[in-house]
Every structure is written in structure tokens, then in C-alpha cells.
Amino acid sequence: MALVTAGVVVLDCAEPEKLAQFYTELLGASQVDAHANRVEIRADDGFRLALRRDVNATAPSWPRPENSLQAHLEFVVDDLDAVERRIVSLGGRPMEAGDASGPTEERGYADPAGHSFTVRRGAPTAPKQG
């Protein structure tokens, strides 16, 4: 019998309501719980994400070493270009530029609060470098 019944990824940020709106729109999710210092959303596939207020939160500076990446989210998509347009329209920003001469399998972004995440098409075919 499992002792843990569910898992939730929690991101600390200064403004959980605003960041929840970003991920709600990006994932087509629904807000399932909200309190003064925490908002939780759930996507149709069951993925759960909570945004917790931390007024002293600072975004990782990855790839700079002084505040390295500790964790990041990864989303599987069909159309990298369409998803990139959506991310930028919602206030996210690209962090890694792909090879302009051909299609890339993975792209890195920061959400409006600076948390890094990647979107990828299908299964990765090569190990991450760096």
C-alpha cells in the first residue's frame, strides 16, 4: 500500500497568482485550490503544479554558476514554434537559442518569475551537454 497518494511540483515565487495564470494558460489547466500564499493548478492529464508565495524568492541564474539550476520543468509538445509563440505571448522568455539552421528537439525558457523550463518534441535522442 502506497503511503504517498499524490505528488505536486511546487515553485516558490513572489506573486503566485500571476505565475499560476501563466501556467494555467500554457497548460490549459484549471485552478483547483487557492489560499493567500498558494495557488494550485491541474492539467487535463493530471499534472499538478502549485505556486507558493515567497517574498524573498529569487530566480535561478542558470546557466550562470553563481545560482545554478536546481530543478526545472519539462513539457512534451508537438509544435515547438507554436508553443514558443504562446510562451512569449504569456510573458515567458527564451533562454536557450536552438540551431537556426535546422529543427531543434528541445528549447529552454523562463517563466515570468524566472523559473526555467524546457519544451521538447518526443523522446530526447542525445544526452544534455553542460
Side-chain angles (χ1 to χ4, degrees):
M1 177 174 151
L3 297 176
V4 176
T5 59
V8 179
V9 174
V10 180
L11 298 178
D12 292 342
C13 59
E15 299 178 275
E17 301 83 4
K18 287 177 70 173
L19 198 54
Q21 185 64 35
F22 172 83
Y23 282 110
T24 296
E25 293 290 329
L26 179 63
L27 301 173
S30 300
Q31 183 173 307
V32 294
D33 194 22
H35 301 285
N37 291 314
R38 188 176 185 276
V39 178
E40 184 176 327
I41 64 171
R42 182 175 301 154
D44 288 342
D45 67 358
F47 177 72
R48 295 168 59 180
L49 179 65
L51 300 309
R52 183 178 66 175
R53 188 178 318 278
D54 177 350
V55 296
N56 296 314
T58 58
S61 62
W62 182 87
R64 296 185 316 266
E66 62 271 10
N67 188 12
S68 66
L69 177 69
Q70 297 169 6
H72 74 277
L73 302 173
E74 181 176 276
F75 303 107
V76 178
V77 304
D78 291 324
D79 185 335
L80 289 168
D81 293 331
V83 171
E84 180 166 309
R85 288 189 295 273
R86 183 68 173 149
I87 289 166
V88 171
S89 77
L90 293 170
R93 63 181 170 80
M95 290 183 64
E96 295 179 351
D99 179 1
S101 64
T104 58
E105 296 177 356
E106 181 178 285
R107 297 179 188 173
Y109 299 91
D111 67 25
H115 302 104
S116 64
F117 65 95
T118 57
V119 296
R120 67 175 171 86
R121 182 177 30 236
T125 59
K128 178 76 174 167
Q129 300 296 315

